[in-house]
Amino acid sequence: MGRLVFLFASSLLLMVAARTVSAAVLEHSFYVQNLTVTRLCKRQVITAVNDSLPGPSLRVREGDKLIIHVFNMSPYKITIHWHGVSQLMSAWSDGPEMITQCAILPGNNYTYNYRITKQEGTLFWHAHSSFLRATVHGAIIIHPRARHSYPFPKPYREVPILLGEWWNANVVDIENQALALGIGPNISNAYTINGWPGDLYPCSQNQMYKHRVEQGKTYLLRIINAAVNSHLFYKIANHNMTVVAVDARYTNPYVTDVVVISPGQTVDVLLTADQPVGSYYMTANNYASASGTAVGVPFNPSTTRGVIIYQGAPSSTTPLMPVVPAFNDTPTAHKFFTELTSLVGGPHWVPVPLNVDHNMFVTVGMGLDVCPPNVSCQGRPPVGAALSGNMNNVSFVLPTSLSLLQAFFFNVGGVYTTDFPANPPVQFNYTNPSINADLPLLFAPKRTSITKVKFNSTVEMVMQNTALIGVENHPMHLHGFDFHVLAQGFGNFNPTTDTLKYNLFNPQMRNTISVPVGGWAVIRFVANNPGAWFMHCHFDGHNSVGLSTAFIVENGPTPDTTLPPPPPDLPEC
């Protein structure tokens, strides 16, 4: 018996040692500063990390610990958010300004310290202050642990594809102008692939992303939508792609000729170079779900493109161009968003929690606000009013004196209230455009109202789009958690019939969900990570006017489920 106990203990120690050896501590320095680049016929000063656009890719393995020193040498205050990283027991490193920390002021620095836990695939990092994420962003590439493999054939190469937006202007000025006028921000001048606008734009013939492939080889494209305010369609001429992961969660293989990707989302696809030797354009263009609605949201109708070049293709070859989807092709977008499913039994797969402790029904959309002092409010929609986002008729206001996480940890009152409504205060025909004539529904009070939940409780949220101002596909991002997407649909959510549509077996998991235009989506997650966690629209133009809320998750019963104290270099407000 003693020998059996010894052998068991030895085996356990070897397993622990193997897991420890396979994890590493990776240390990086991010220098945030001005960078002068040339795009679209002009030289432009941007804010960038380590003099690159996009910024540096972080390549890690599951289980690795990251220590990242951020030195703010720019003229703007800034924070960095590690988008999609669960930050299990490391909430102080999540990064959203005034939620988990105050901003890093010019000339100051802060060190982010966190571990990648039970996540594999592609995520990304970006600024979480103002519109700076337009140029301050980069990939997070999470490989399996050493001696572990992908749940699909190993690709020949891996290629980050970061889709973005470009303005011929200072992006901080773009946001400030929008807030000063009470309207949405000016549209971007171009879309980009890995920082390049592509040859359809002025002065951009030689500013196009190119990737060379070998015929017969398979490549893993890690696609990231780092755009500030645009859903995007992504295609490659004459090629299908096989989706194998979204938001760093493995999926059942899904073959498609088009990827639809919202701001904040990532999609991993396998691309096999199985076409005749030649050149093939890859493209990204806008899915503008709100265009033509009452809100009349302008959008950039242009297309960015890069090129896939087969080895051996003559340099004189004219690349083939795909047929790009129409900007309002909602059927294609909805098909892509709803047909993805999780890889049951795959690495880090999580079954759906079946018992719900906290039910929420939350309206999501735009509204109006009384024009603030010193703001002209002369633009759309009605003159004399400002655009304002809200959830359940609450327009979220960031704290100013202390971050939510600091207020929670130190039990400081007066920073936030815990009265965010679990249901709309007024029930109405949410997706009927005639509600725009109901002025009381259009104006939502502004306050810092959040939801507090018990540790390890299960939260289910129905997010219902509204037609106030206009219907739109809203990309909603939850910090600190991945959630199961149980169902999505159009119109008003009907609890009698739509709950029957829930996928409780293999729903996709995400950290960012596109709530369908004029429709609804249902998510469910376990609140097993104590801290303060932001939930917001990943259109920065909507988030900046209050289309957001937050959760406080209380501490658990043991020391390893209790939020640790803040690091000594946490920035002060």
Side-chain angles (χ1 to χ4, degrees):
M1 180 67 180
R3 178 176 172 79
L4 287 174
V5 171
F6 172 77
L7 289 173
F8 175 75
S10 300
S11 299
L12 187 62
L13 284 172
L14 286 172
M15 290 170 62
V16 171
R19 287 185 63 85
T20 303
V21 168
S22 67
V25 177
L26 306 176
E27 196 163 359
H28 299 271
S29 292
F30 277 15
Y31 296 94
V32 185
Q33 56 194 356
N34 286 346
L35 174 68
T36 302
V37 299
T38 300
R39 298 287 190 277
L40 307 187
C41 313
K42 65 175 293 186
R43 289 170 64 82
Q44 177 77 33
V45 176
I46 65 170
T47 305
V49 172
N50 294 0
D51 291 331
S52 64
L53 176 68
S57 294
L58 299 176
R59 299 178 183 273
V60 304
R61 292 188 180 275
E62 191 275 321
D64 284 353
K65 183 177 183 180
L66 281 164
I67 299 173
I68 303 177
H69 309 286
V70 176
F71 299 90
N72 186 7
M73 303 162 66
S74 81
Y76 307 109
K77 63 178 183 176
I78 200 168
T79 65
I80 302 293
H81 170 50
W82 318 94
H83 184 108
V85 174
S86 63
Q87 298 292 354
L88 189 63
M89 301 306 299
S90 56
W92 299 105
S93 286
D94 190 42
E97 184 178 347
M98 301 313 300
I99 301 296
T100 60
Q101 66 169 102
C102 299
I104 308 169
L105 299 179
N108 290 13
N109 60 278
Y110 178 54
T111 296
Y112 294 90
N113 190 325
Y114 58 91
R115 189 177 297 278
I116 303 293
T117 304
K118 296 183 179 180
Q119 293 177 290
E120 293 177 20
T122 306
L123 298 171
F124 74 121
W125 57 265
H126 61 78
H128 215 292
S129 299
S130 184
F131 275 22
L132 288 171
R133 73 178 173 94
T135 55
V136 178
H137 60 253
I140 302 176
I141 296 170
I142 309 170
H143 294 107
R145 287 178 182 255
R147 296 183 293 277
H148 290 230
S149 60
Y150 295 125
F152 48 80
K154 184 179 180 180
Y156 177 63
R157 294 262 170 82
E158 300 185 11
V159 186
I161 302 289
L162 284 89
L163 309 177
E165 287 180 279
W166 176 265
W167 277 265
N168 279 333
N170 181 304
V171 294
V172 175
D173 292 342
I174 292 291
E175 183 190 33
N176 290 339
Q177 179 190 43
L179 294 174
L181 296 175
I183 60 175
N186 290 339
I187 63 172
S188 58
N189 296 99
Y191 304 114
T192 59
I193 300 176
N194 286 345
W196 299 109
D199 60 351
L200 292 176
Y201 294 103
C203 307
S204 302
Q205 187 64 37
N206 297 316
Q207 294 196 337
M208 180 167 61
Y209 173 70
K210 299 178 180 180
H211 179 65
R212 299 187 178 276
V213 300
E214 292 185 35
Q215 192 175 41
K217 301 289 188 182
T218 296
Y219 298 79
L220 177 61
L221 306 186
R222 297 177 175 273
I223 307 169
I224 298 166
N225 188 345
V228 175
N229 288 317
S230 296
H231 308 278
L232 295 167
F233 294 110
Y234 176 84
K235 294 193 73 172
I236 301 173
N238 284 26
H239 288 75
N240 283 332
M241 296 168 279
T242 303
V243 178
V244 292
V246 294
D247 292 5
R249 292 289 180 177
Y250 291 117
T251 65
N252 286 307
Y254 179 77
V255 179
T256 179
D257 70 340
V258 59
V259 166
V260 192
I261 184 167
S262 295
Q265 292 184 332
T266 69
V267 180
D268 291 357
V269 301
L270 295 175
L271 171 73
T272 299
D274 57 4
Q275 295 300 300
V277 170
S279 297
Y280 302 84
Y281 280 120
M282 64 172 72
T283 60
N285 66 297
N286 199 324
Y287 167 47
S289 63
S291 181
T293 66
V295 71
V297 174
F299 70 98
N300 185 336
S302 67
T303 298
T304 180
R305 63 187 187 185
V307 65
I308 297 285
I309 304 172
Y310 278 61
Q311 184 175 308
S315 58
S316 59
T317 301
T318 300
L320 293 178
M321 180 70 179
V323 177
V324 301
F327 70 88
N328 57 354
D329 190 352
T330 291
T332 292
H334 190 66
K335 181 177 187 291
F336 182 87
F337 285 139
T338 57
E339 292 191 352
L340 299 172
T341 54
S342 284
L343 183 63
V344 174
H348 316 302
W349 171 71
V350 178
V352 180
L354 299 181
N355 297 315
V356 177
D357 303 298
H358 193 78
N359 282 286
M360 303 179 73
F361 184 98
V362 180
T363 56
V364 176
M366 299 298 291
L368 299 177
D369 187 27
V370 176
C371 192
N374 303 317
V375 175
S376 66
C377 293
Q378 296 301 305
R380 299 183 335 245
V383 171
L387 280 176
S388 178
N390 70 84
M391 299 176 69
N392 270 358
N393 202 46
V394 176
S395 187
F396 188 79
V397 178
L398 288 171
T400 56
S401 60
L402 209 62
S403 73
L404 284 184
L405 189 59
Q406 289 171 297
F408 166 60
F409 183 85
F410 293 109
N411 196 27
V412 176
V415 176
Y416 62 86
T417 61
T418 58
D419 58 352
F420 181 83
N423 293 282
V426 178
Q427 294 186 5
F428 56 97
N429 189 351
Y430 306 111
T431 56
N432 187 336
S434 67
I435 59 178
N436 279 292
D438 193 338
L439 288 180
L441 290 176
L442 287 170
F443 289 83
K446 288 189 170 290
R447 62 179 190 263
T448 310
S449 175
I450 62 97
T451 301
K452 181 179 280 191
V453 295
K454 297 289 186 183
F455 178 80
N456 226 30
S457 61
T458 297
V459 179
E460 178 174 305
M461 180 185 290
V462 178
M463 285 181 281
Q464 173 69 61
N465 202 336
T466 71
L468 293 167
I469 302 297
V471 295
E472 188 171 6
N473 184 309
H474 293 288
M476 301 302 297
H477 171 52
L478 176 61
H479 292 228
F481 303 94
D482 290 335
F483 48 75
H484 292 92
V485 181
L486 302 187
Q488 304 173 65
F490 295 104
N492 295 329
F493 178 80
N494 185 327
T496 302
T497 57
D498 290 332
T499 52
L500 302 177
K501 303 173 184 176
Y502 284 10
N503 179 356
L504 300 176
F505 171 63
N506 64 350
Q508 61 183 289
M509 292 191 72
R510 282 199 176 269
N511 61 61
T512 305
I513 174 70
S514 283
V515 180
V517 54
W520 50 269
V522 184
I523 67 170
R524 190 181 290 180
F525 65 97
V526 177
N528 56 3
N529 193 5
W533 305 107
F534 204 25
M535 185 178 198
H536 63 100
C537 181
H538 223 260
F539 282 164
D540 276 5
H542 290 177
N543 175 46
S544 62
V545 292
L547 186 47
S548 48
T549 186
F551 288 90
I552 295 286
V553 178
E554 297 179 346
N555 286 317
T558 60
D560 63 348
T561 58
T562 299
L563 182 70
D569 63 337
L570 187 74
E572 296 182 1
C573 292

